[in-house]
Amino acid sequence: MAGVENPRASRVGMSARDMAQIAVFAALIAALGLPGAITVGFSGVPITVQTLGVILAGAVLGARKGTAAVLVFLALTMIGLPLLSGGRTGLTALAGPSAGYLVGWIPAALFIGLLTARILPKYPTVLGLLVNAIGGIGIIYLFGTLGLLLRTDLGVRHAITTNFAFIPGDLLKVVVATVVAKGVHRAYPGLIGA
């Protein structure tokens, strides 16, 4: 009926179900920080599992809800909750060399969500891998490299080569996220459009 509001939708156009999914994925990103972090090389940027949560947020929830989950998580770290791997807060991380990587989580989830919606309902594995790799590796590394250039005294070549240590683990995260997303979309078709 025209003029009748949906009682389940909030003023921002999200249902309680949408908000619950966003909260669950924000919590997932936080939980993936529990194993801690390993700092390699000279950049001071840690290897974490939390980027898996970012990739999954975009690949499973889509652009709007996936990006919202990342924003909720980052907002919680900005108010001082030590949810980043190693017990770091968003403010301390943004003051350090990993600032660009964190900022890159937002466009990464958005990109992955937008392109995942385009390859549904089939979710071909090769395309899923490609989308997740471009978003979860390419975009995050781009922002991370820019952050390294702004926050450290590294030159362009060293800032770019710093990413090489992360590639094996990030490729594994892309594969895991693709397998999980394919299974979720097969079991719950229309999740991104819902």
Side-chain angles (χ1 to χ4, degrees):
M1 274 163 88
V4 177
E5 284 188 40
N6 179 354
R8 293 190 217 173
S10 72
R11 291 182 185 191
V12 294
M14 289 197 181
S15 68
R17 180 180 177 184
D18 293 339
M19 289 187 269
Q21 291 169 350
I22 290 165
V24 165
F25 274 80
L28 173 67
I29 296 169
L32 289 171
L34 292 176
I38 302 168
T39 302
V40 294
F42 49 85
S43 70
V45 177
I47 294 176
T48 74
V49 187
Q50 288 182 302
T51 49
L52 173 60
V54 173
I55 298 168
L56 281 170
V60 171
L61 295 182
R64 185 173 62 107
K65 294 185 287 185
T67 304
V70 172
L71 287 169
V72 166
F73 172 79
L74 290 175
L76 292 172
T77 68
M78 292 303 160
I79 62 170
L81 295 178
L83 299 175
L84 290 168
S85 62
R88 298 173 301 141
T89 66
L91 295 175
T92 58
L94 285 180
S98 59
Y101 294 95
L102 286 180
V103 172
W105 286 5
I106 300 165
L110 179 65
F111 174 88
I112 292 168
L114 287 172
L115 267 66
T116 297
R118 296 188 76 114
I119 64 173
L120 288 175
K122 287 188 174 186
Y123 197 86
T125 303
V126 172
L127 288 177
L129 286 167
L130 184 62
V131 166
N132 292 337
I134 292 170
I137 296 175
I139 291 175
I140 293 174
Y141 286 15
L142 173 65
F143 278 83
T145 301
L146 293 173
L148 286 171
L149 292 171
L150 294 172
R151 295 279 182 204
T152 67
D153 59 354
L154 293 176
V156 174
R157 189 174 128 260
H158 283 97
I160 291 170
T161 58
T162 294
N163 294 310
F164 294 169
F166 303 108
I167 291 174
D170 287 341
L171 287 173
L172 179 61
K173 292 174 206 172
V174 164
V175 170
V176 169
T178 302
V179 169
V180 170
K182 185 175 182 76
V184 168
H185 290 302
R186 185 180 304 139
Y188 300 100
L191 181 64
I192 285 183

